[in-house]
Amino acid sequence: MAEMRYLKAINQALTDAMAADPSVILIGEDVSEAGGAFGASRGLRERFGAERVLDTPISEAALAGAAVGAALSGLRPVAEIMFMDFTTLVMDALVNQAAKARFMFGGQRSVPMVLRTPHGGGLGAGPQHSQCLEAWFAHVPGLKVVCPSDPASAYGLLRAAIDDPDPVVFVEHKGLYAMKSEVPDTLPILPLGKAATLREGRDVTIVAYGAAVHTAMTAAATLADEGIEAEILDLRSIQPWDEQAVLASLAKTHRLVIVHEAVEAFGVGAEIAARMADIGFDELDGPILRVGAPFMPVPFSKGLENAYLPSPDRVIDAVRRTLA
Amino acid sequence: MSDATTHRQAGAGHNAAPDLLELYRGLVLIRRCEERLSQMFSEGEVPGFIHLSIGQEAVSVGVMAALTPDDTIASTHRGHGHAIAKGLSLDGFFAELLARETGLCKGRGGSMHVADMSVGMLGANGIVGAGLSIALGSALAHRTRKTGAIAVAFFGDGALAEGLLHECLNMAALWKLPLLFVCENNGWGEFLPTSKQLSFALKDLAAAYRIPHLCIDGNDVALVADHAVRIVAEVRHGGPRILECLTTRVRGHFEGDAQKYRDADELAALSARDPLRIAAGHLAELGFDEAALGGIADEVEARIDVSVEAARAAGFPAFADAMADVYTPAQGAA
Ligand SMILES: Cc1ncc(C[n+]2csc(CCOP(=O)(O)OP(=O)(O)O)c2C)c(N)n1
Ligand SMILES: [Mg+2]
């Protein structure tokens, strides 16, 4: 066991994937000479050469489209979009090209690309550098969406995303980059589409992903003091998501709260709630509740941003409501 | 001997000079395929939208004559000519246009998404300009993988106004990628002349991005092939080039477009620029008579009959098969 930071785990996954497969390349703004705007690709240019670690101009649409073309032509590109907010500029490449190429060309070829991008608030980055837009991509047939919550899962899921034959949007939380935790000496590759149970409990299931997992864990600790035992599921993958794991936990606790930092309305939580209201209807002893951001852009001022982000208190309130 | 013939011989050092009769056969194949589609469309047998490249065939045939099977192309909404000239399966093409399970795309793509990866045809595209970045990435892959191949991006003059085109020109030039930009300048983007859509000429844009640019008559297949052979050799070793082909959109934007917005004089002038007529003229100078050319057309028609009949006999795709193919099936799965 050793301690590893989330950012280092990403860096290690990129390093190991590039060492394992010469067709893996990195492409993005400031990924090469500078080693990434957040440092995720530090040292990779020196190790693998400028031919495989490419700095692009500030041309998100073209770099994402190029990733699709490269993936159709024998490479496994990992593209970085510096902030998830900028994925608005790569929508055509992802939605109309990457997601559909396999299907609309009759399965002739898959599109093995990964688009890494950080989301999330808490850094005072304001409305255009803080958004959580993963639900948009989860809505598009043909894309996979992943969002790890800690260093070990960041490593294991990124390796799996790069190995995966289909396009994966890999969402990192920039507030987690500095997070440190114990990881095994040999980090395993983790399957996409599988949730992890981080805490067992009998009274309520809390499903979360990304940084919201930690909000949920904090809430669970407080609830335990009151004798309420929450079971916490880290979704890890948003598309596909582990319906069976959520259903199995619901069958045990009979109550469900879903937590994410993204805007609550029309979000990932809505999808999970709708599915569980269907296939889990007989298990439910209380309303399915969501805890997400309010319907407003992410504000800048600290007080506003703190009030905006889902807090342990709001999770606790939701748990009390569904148990009431 | 025509100018074009001289050029062809001059280009023979790289790829063998394409034989004019073979080029003519390529033109006839595209023309007859699209005429057949047009007829079947009007009879309700071809579903959806189709955009025909009648009048533009010489660009496809001329450029493709300079490519190897490993070279890749990304195409447009008006992509039948590109696909056929790149050598895609004709049976698979007609079956796709008729939405059959035996189609190249199993009936999931149709006219605007015809692709045949086995011949390096990376797909027609329903999004104006999108093929540019796909070709950019394909060229990057060729360079990274040291395949020696090049990528070709076909695009219309309407796409010159798309921001993505500018990003791609810059990146291709910056990275000196083996990427040939082929602009099919037919003067129209849907129902508006591109003179009313663009504030600049492609040659000025090319100069700004420092990419060598050549503008030629895109309806003279021998001329296109000659230049393409030379330029493709340059691209293979020296980075991006732009080949602008002045050409003619004879049919409407899509089949069923009555083109009421077009000037009668403009339409009347089109036949003089017909690529087949121009090529036949060159061939006549070389001693090929009408009977020889007619024989080619008969052969092509017979070939198309086979593909159309096979497509008609094929079944329609099963929904479950389509559903199972949104993602790559897990290894070991059926
Ligand atoms: C992004 C996008 N915008 C608009 C359209 C609708 N559209 C389809 S073809 C076309 C005109 C394209 O003109 P050009 O590139 O010159 O090609 P041409 O049709 O002349 O071959 C337009 C506007 C589209 N398919 N995609
Ligand atoms: Mg045009």
Side-chain angles (χ1 to χ4, degrees):
Chain A
M1 295 292 263
E3 286 221 305
M4 187 181 264
R5 283 191 198 278
Y6 186 97
L7 186 67
K8 176 63 191 166
I10 303 275
N11 181 269
Q12 194 64 48
L14 294 172
T15 306
D16 293 353
M18 291 189 80
D21 182 350
S23 68
V24 176
I25 63 159
L26 306 188
I27 172 168
E29 294 159 19
D30 278 328
V31 300
S32 190
E33 293 195 17
F38 292 95
S41 45
R42 214 167 274 156
L44 296 180
R45 178 192 176 93
E46 291 72 17
R47 170 136 182 217
F48 298 105
E51 285 226 328
R52 288 179 67 196
V53 187
L54 292 111
D55 276 328
T56 70
I58 309 161
S59 301
E60 291 79 11
L63 83 87
V68 180
L72 286 173
S73 305
L75 294 181
R76 296 185 100 83
V78 180
E80 177 176 301
I81 296 295
M82 199 183 295
F83 285 84
M84 189 167 212
D85 313 72
F86 310 162
T87 60
T88 51
L89 296 158
V90 307
M91 277 299 180
D92 185 63
L94 282 178
V95 176
N96 285 323
Q97 313 299 332
K100 295 175 177 51
R102 176 180 173 79
F103 179 86
M104 76 182 170
F105 299 150
Q108 292 182 49
R109 211 163 272 182
S110 302
V111 184
M113 64 174 278
V114 174
L115 187 133
R116 291 181 42 245
T117 190
H119 75 174
L123 278 72
Q128 296 174 337
H129 288 72
S130 306
Q131 295 168 88
C132 297
L133 303 173
E134 54 277 3
W136 290 0
F137 299 101
H139 191 66
V140 178
L143 297 180
K144 296 183 179 178
V145 184
V146 177
C147 188
S149 67
D150 62 13
S153 62
Y155 178 90
L157 295 170
L158 183 51
R159 289 296 308 272
I162 295 171
D163 285 349
D164 198 90
D166 296 314
V168 180
V169 177
F170 191 87
V171 187
E172 300 157 14
H173 196 293
K174 51 189 175 289
L176 294 180
Y177 278 145
M179 173 195 178
K180 236 187 207 175
S181 68
E182 291 275 321
V183 298
D185 292 332
T186 312
L187 280 159
I189 297 179
L190 298 170
L192 303 185
K194 287 272 173 270
T197 305
L198 299 191
R199 186 184 195 284
E200 306 235 4
R202 59 172 187 265
D203 298 318
V204 61
T205 298
I206 305 180
V207 174
Y209 61 85
V213 165
H214 305 289
T215 311
M217 290 293 274
T218 306
T222 306
L223 288 163
D225 293 341
E226 300 174 18
I228 299 170
E229 293 300 332
E231 178 143 299
I232 305 230
L233 251 60
D234 178 356
L235 212 52
R236 290 181 170 173
S237 290
I238 294 167
Q239 182 60 267
W241 62 278
D242 197 344
E243 199 173 89
Q244 286 312 312
V246 177
L247 184 61
S249 180
L250 179 63
K252 177 174 155 191
T253 66
H254 308 293
R255 317 215 182 233
L256 177 59
V257 172
I258 305 142
V259 189
H260 53 59
E261 187 180 319
V263 166
E264 193 173 294
F266 295 88
V268 174
E271 174 64 17
I272 296 172
R275 282 299 290 162
M276 289 305 134
D278 176 352
I279 61 175
F281 186 73
D282 292 339
E283 304 293 348
L284 284 166
D285 286 343
I288 304 173
L289 296 178
R290 291 170 294 159
V291 177
F295 204 60
M296 68 151 61
V298 187
F300 162 63
S301 186
K302 198 72 210 156
L304 294 176
E305 193 181 32
N306 285 344
Y308 170 94
L309 293 170
S311 62
D313 283 348
R314 287 185 50 215
V315 177
I316 291 165
D317 285 349
V319 167
R320 288 205 183 107
R321 260 186 69 206
T322 191
L323 282 165
Chain B
M1 195 179 273
S2 75
D3 231 23
T5 321
T6 325
H7 277 227
R8 259 196 347 276
Q9 288 171 347
H14 307 283
N15 286 17
D19 176 326
L20 185 54
L21 199 62
E22 277 314 301
L23 295 175
Y24 180 78
R25 186 188 300 277
L27 297 179
V28 174
L29 179 60
I30 299 172
R31 174 69 54 90
R32 294 298 175 111
C33 282
E34 291 204 310
E35 282 176 348
R36 186 71 69 94
L37 286 172
S38 172
Q39 178 204 331
M40 291 167 74
F41 183 86
S42 67
E43 290 161 359
E45 205 180 341
V46 177
F49 289 105
I50 57 173
H51 305 83
L52 300 185
S53 60
I54 289 176
Q56 305 189 173
E57 299 92 339
V59 182
S60 292
V61 174
V63 170
M64 249 55 88
L67 301 184
T68 71
D70 291 339
D71 295 329
T72 46
I73 66 166
S75 172
T76 68
H77 59 287
R78 204 176 296 288
H80 301 161
H82 308 142
I84 294 167
K86 193 70 172 76
L88 96 175
S89 148
L90 214 56
D91 287 353
F93 174 75
F94 275 100
E96 186 60 30
L97 272 281
L98 294 183
R100 297 309 210 274
E101 65 180 347
T102 50
L104 273 165
C105 306
K106 300 184 180 162
R108 296 180 209 149
S111 166
M112 262 191 286
H113 305 290
V114 166
D116 189 346
M117 302 286 163
S118 70
V119 298
M121 161 47 171
L122 302 181
N125 215 303
I127 308 298
V128 170
L132 286 151
S133 62
I134 288 173
L136 180 81
S138 190
L140 175 64
H142 290 317
R143 190 181 70 182
T144 311
R145 299 176 62 218
K146 302 185 171 45
T147 64
I150 74 160
V152 182
F154 287 93
F155 58 101
D157 46 333
L160 290 170
E162 286 284 2
L164 183 61
L165 173 121
H166 297 254
E167 295 186 11
C168 290
L169 288 173
N170 179 47
M171 280 167 75
L174 193 69
W175 291 353
K176 301 187 175 58
L177 291 177
L179 175 54
L180 174 62
F181 293 93
V182 178
C183 178
E184 293 175 294
N185 184 347
N186 60 16
W188 288 89
E190 279 191 358
F191 319 116
L192 195 66
T194 43
S195 59
K196 293 184 178 172
Q197 303 184 34
L198 301 168
S199 71
F200 61 88
L202 179 51
K203 81 169 163 29
D204 301 323
L205 200 62
Y209 290 110
R210 301 181 188 174
I211 301 177
H213 162 271
L214 184 70
C215 182
I216 62 172
D217 175 359
N219 284 19
D220 182 340
V221 72
L223 186 78
V224 176
D226 285 341
H227 284 295
V229 166
R230 179 175 46 76
I231 292 172
V232 162
E234 289 174 17
V235 169
R236 227 176 268 290
H237 306 290
R241 300 285 187 275
I242 300 172
L243 182 62
E244 179 177 4
C245 296
L246 301 178
T247 187
T248 46
R249 192 192 84 194
V250 173
R251 307 289 306 191
H253 171 55
F254 52 83
E255 276 303 272
D257 169 8
Q259 305 207 78
K260 295 230 170 70
Y261 50 90
R262 271 178 100 169
D263 204 85
D265 291 346
E266 190 204 342
L267 289 171
L270 290 175
S271 71
R273 290 197 62 206
D274 179 10
L276 272 84
R277 196 164 154 173
I278 293 170
H282 289 324
L283 285 168
E285 287 170 33
L286 297 173
F288 292 95
D289 59 10
E290 268 179 41
L293 302 188
I296 289 180
D298 292 344
E299 280 169 37
V300 163
E301 284 292 338
R303 178 69 193 82
I304 293 171
D305 285 342
V306 171
S307 291
V308 170
E309 285 318 313
R312 282 178 174 149
F316 288 96
F319 192 79
D321 291 344
M323 198 66 221
D325 221 11
V326 175
Y327 295 95
T328 307
Q331 261 174 19

